[in-house]
Amino acid sequence: MRKNRTGEHRWSTAADVVDLVRVLARQMPDSTIAAVLNRASKSTGRGNSWTRVRVRSLRNQHAIAAYREGERAERGDVTLDEAATALKVSPSTVRRLIEEQSLPAQRLCKGAPWMIKAVDLEHPDVKRAAHARRFRRPSSGDPGQKSFNSKGVARWAV
């Protein structure tokens, strides 16, 4: 049977969690990383939930640099909310554009924020899809439902 070397013990955090923290540390501060890890049902080596202090400790043990404000913007990444502001649509519209693959984006794990390249927001197809969504109103499918015109006068839906 192999013996543990110095610093090794059975309470080690899983390698996939360490890799996830390594990537998330470039995008967000420790408290936000803790929230993402908890939402993704990841636990510490001892089975505890994540806190800001535990994330910082893990980063220090594995020599992972801390998040620096503005680093994400320097790389040209924007969040879902920032993309919504740039496209002048709601965040749920941006989420729909991502789901229908009109807007390329990536998400590291469930609960992690969507990361979108700022240059993708300038693409004509993305702008066209966002513009089309901005003025589209979903139909309820109920022929008896009233709708309102721009003057606030009710008329029957046709």
Side-chain angles (χ1 to χ4, degrees):
M1 179 179 276
R2 182 177 88 72
K3 290 179 114 184
N4 288 340
R5 290 181 280 169
T6 303
E8 288 184 353
H9 47 79
R10 65 181 175 169
W11 304 114
S12 298
T13 303
D16 67 322
V17 175
V18 175
D19 292 339
L20 185 58
V21 170
R22 194 177 311 279
V23 175
L24 290 174
R26 297 191 66 217
Q27 299 175 357
M28 59 191 71
D30 293 345
S31 56
T32 311
I33 293 172
V36 168
L37 293 173
N38 289 328
R39 267 182 279 167
S41 301
K42 306 286 185 188
S43 60
T44 66
R46 292 192 178 255
N48 295 324
S49 62
W50 288 95
T51 63
R52 178 183 55 82
V53 174
R54 289 179 179 145
V55 171
R56 183 180 63 208
S57 175
L58 178 78
R59 277 192 315 90
N60 289 337
Q61 287 172 353
H62 294 275
I64 301 171
Y67 172 72
R68 185 176 47 81
E69 195 65 41
E71 178 182 2
R72 183 176 40 79
E74 289 172 6
R75 283 193 317 271
D77 292 341
V78 295
T79 63
L80 189 127
D81 291 331
E82 292 167 346
T85 302
L87 293 172
K88 298 180 182 148
V89 295
S90 71
S92 59
T93 298
V94 174
R95 217 173 283 115
R96 282 189 211 101
L97 292 172
I98 292 169
E99 287 171 8
E100 64 190 28
Q101 298 178 348
S102 298
L103 177 62
Q106 72 174 30
R107 189 160 110 173
L108 297 173
C109 68
K110 179 184 172 191
W114 286 103
M115 284 295 134
I116 303 161
K117 296 288 183 193
V119 295
D120 291 337
L121 297 177
E122 300 301 321
H123 196 275
D125 293 339
V126 172
K127 286 187 172 192
R128 194 175 308 112
H131 183 74
R133 285 258 183 204
R134 189 178 322 157
F135 298 107
R136 195 177 106 198
R137 298 289 180 250
S139 166
S140 71
D142 181 5
Q145 182 177 359
K146 290 183 180 180
S147 64
F148 290 91
N149 64 16
S150 61
K151 295 176 183 156
V153 178
R155 62 181 172 84
W156 292 100
V158 211

